[in-house]
Amino acid sequence: MFVVVGATGNVGRTLASTLAASGAAVTAVSRGRRPGAVPEGIRHHRADLEQPESLRPVLAGAEALYLLVEGAGAHVDMREILRVAAAGGVKRVVLQSSQAVATRPDSPSHAPLRAIEDLVRRSEFDWTILRPGGFASNSFAWTEPIRGRRTVAAPFGDVGLPVVDPADIAEVAAAVLLDRSHDGRTYELTGPVLRTPRERVADLAAALGEPIHFVDQTPDEAREQMLRFMPPPVVEGTLAILGTPTEAEQRISPDVSEVLGRSPRPFAAWATRNIGAFR
């Protein structure tokens, strides 16, 4: 049995469905359950990583654990989570981390995830670590202004990043869970090309069949907006990546292709698949 933590999110939901379609037994774990958020036929268990004992009932007899730690893991006791997993008989852990753990080694915004990676590597489990870059699904933040005004305001409109489709992350995660040859590997997951915010808005407009106006936002305007729902260190780390990406952050990783045997999906494909959210 595979236990998928964060199974109602952009990656976890697709991962749980993909594993179930392969014939594997899957338990989806999340803090809550929105209607339709867990695929039909998949067992669901409510648990909170900030309360490791809440995981104990679902980990007994599990072969592998897929760990997604939200909020960069600042309030999670990973040692205790791994102890509970070991007590349940779990042998393998696949951790969804972040590209920034490697590309921003001195950034305080990703220090908790860096520490979690280190704990997983030093643990008794076989492990694989996935480090995705920026998510295509971050564009859901533009849903309301596109719906209401057919306008998007964003900073650094002409700075490109190889954003990754969460569906590709999920398919890589499924392949890793189903094939032990990936044990001990760390994969960096990106999209196939650099795509700027202005270009991503154009992709959404093409999928929508209507023009969307792009407004260049200043970094200070973006910071003020982001601080409403993100802690300051995360805001500063995010703005640094968006505005002054390193060479490593703009690199097109071969890892999705290596694992899946095909190219990563472009942002335009994500836009077409999800355009209903922007209508």
Side-chain angles (χ1 to χ4, degrees), residues 82-200:
L82 295 178
R83 187 189 68 77
V84 171
V90 173
K91 303 300 182 187
R92 302 165 58 213
V93 171
V94 176
L95 174 67
Q96 182 179 313
S97 183
S98 169
Q99 181 191 54
V101 168
T103 61
R104 304 275 169 166
D106 299 322
S107 170
S109 62
H110 286 83
L113 265 182
R114 194 172 303 114
I116 289 171
E117 278 197 16
D118 290 342
L119 283 172
V120 169
R121 283 197 178 91
R122 296 199 306 267
S123 72
E124 63 192 84
F125 303 99
D126 292 325
W127 54 264
T128 306
I129 293 173
L130 307 183
R131 288 176 173 169
F135 282 34
S137 55
N138 289 343
S139 298
F140 280 133
W142 298 337
T143 299
E144 184 178 342
I146 290 177
R147 279 178 169 176
R149 303 183 299 278
R150 294 295 191 258
T151 297
V152 166
F156 313 116
D158 297 308
V159 178
L161 288 168
V163 295
V164 61
D165 191 322
D168 283 342
I169 303 172
E171 290 186 28
V172 169
V176 165
L177 286 163
L178 292 167
D179 183 350
R180 296 293 299 267
S181 69
H182 300 285
D183 288 358
R185 300 286 300 274
T186 299
Y187 292 117
E188 182 181 277
L189 309 180
T190 73
V193 294
L194 297 178
R195 207 75 178 140
T196 69
R198 197 183 308 275
E199 290 169 332
R200 296 201 295 274

Side-chain angles (χ1 to χ4, degrees), residues 181-257:
S181 69
H182 300 285
D183 288 358
R185 300 286 300 274
T186 299
Y187 292 117
E188 182 181 277
L189 309 180
T190 73
V193 294
L194 297 178
R195 207 75 178 140
T196 69
R198 197 183 308 275
E199 290 169 332
R200 296 201 295 274
V201 169
D203 289 335
L204 286 164
L208 190 62
E210 296 183 28
I212 301 172
H213 180 55
F214 185 88
V215 177
D216 286 293
Q217 195 177 43
T218 69
D220 284 342
E221 290 170 338
R223 180 179 291 106
E224 181 181 357
Q225 185 177 37
M226 294 164 71
L227 282 170
R228 297 172 192 165
F229 57 92
M230 296 165 64
V234 176
V235 170
E236 296 307 321
T238 300
L239 287 173
I241 292 171
L242 294 178
T244 54
T246 66
E247 183 178 341
E249 287 159 349
Q250 291 189 306
R251 169 180 174 265
I252 309 301
S253 170
D255 290 352
V256 170
S257 297

Side-chain angles (χ1 to χ4, degrees), residues 39-110:
E40 188 175 346
I42 294 178
R43 178 190 175 200
H44 179 258
H45 178 78
R46 289 182 179 172
D48 188 337
L49 291 184
E50 293 185 22
Q51 301 173 18
E53 285 296 322
S54 67
L55 290 166
R56 188 178 295 278
V58 77
L59 291 176
E63 173 190 346
L65 172 64
Y66 188 81
L67 268 177
L68 165 60
V69 184
E70 296 180 352
H75 304 292
V76 169
D77 185 346
M78 185 53 60
R79 285 186 177 85
E80 185 62 15
I81 290 171
L82 295 178
R83 187 189 68 77
V84 171
V90 173
K91 303 300 182 187
R92 302 165 58 213
V93 171
V94 176
L95 174 67
Q96 182 179 313
S97 183
S98 169
Q99 181 191 54
V101 168
T103 61
R104 304 275 169 166
D106 299 322
S107 170
S109 62
H110 286 83

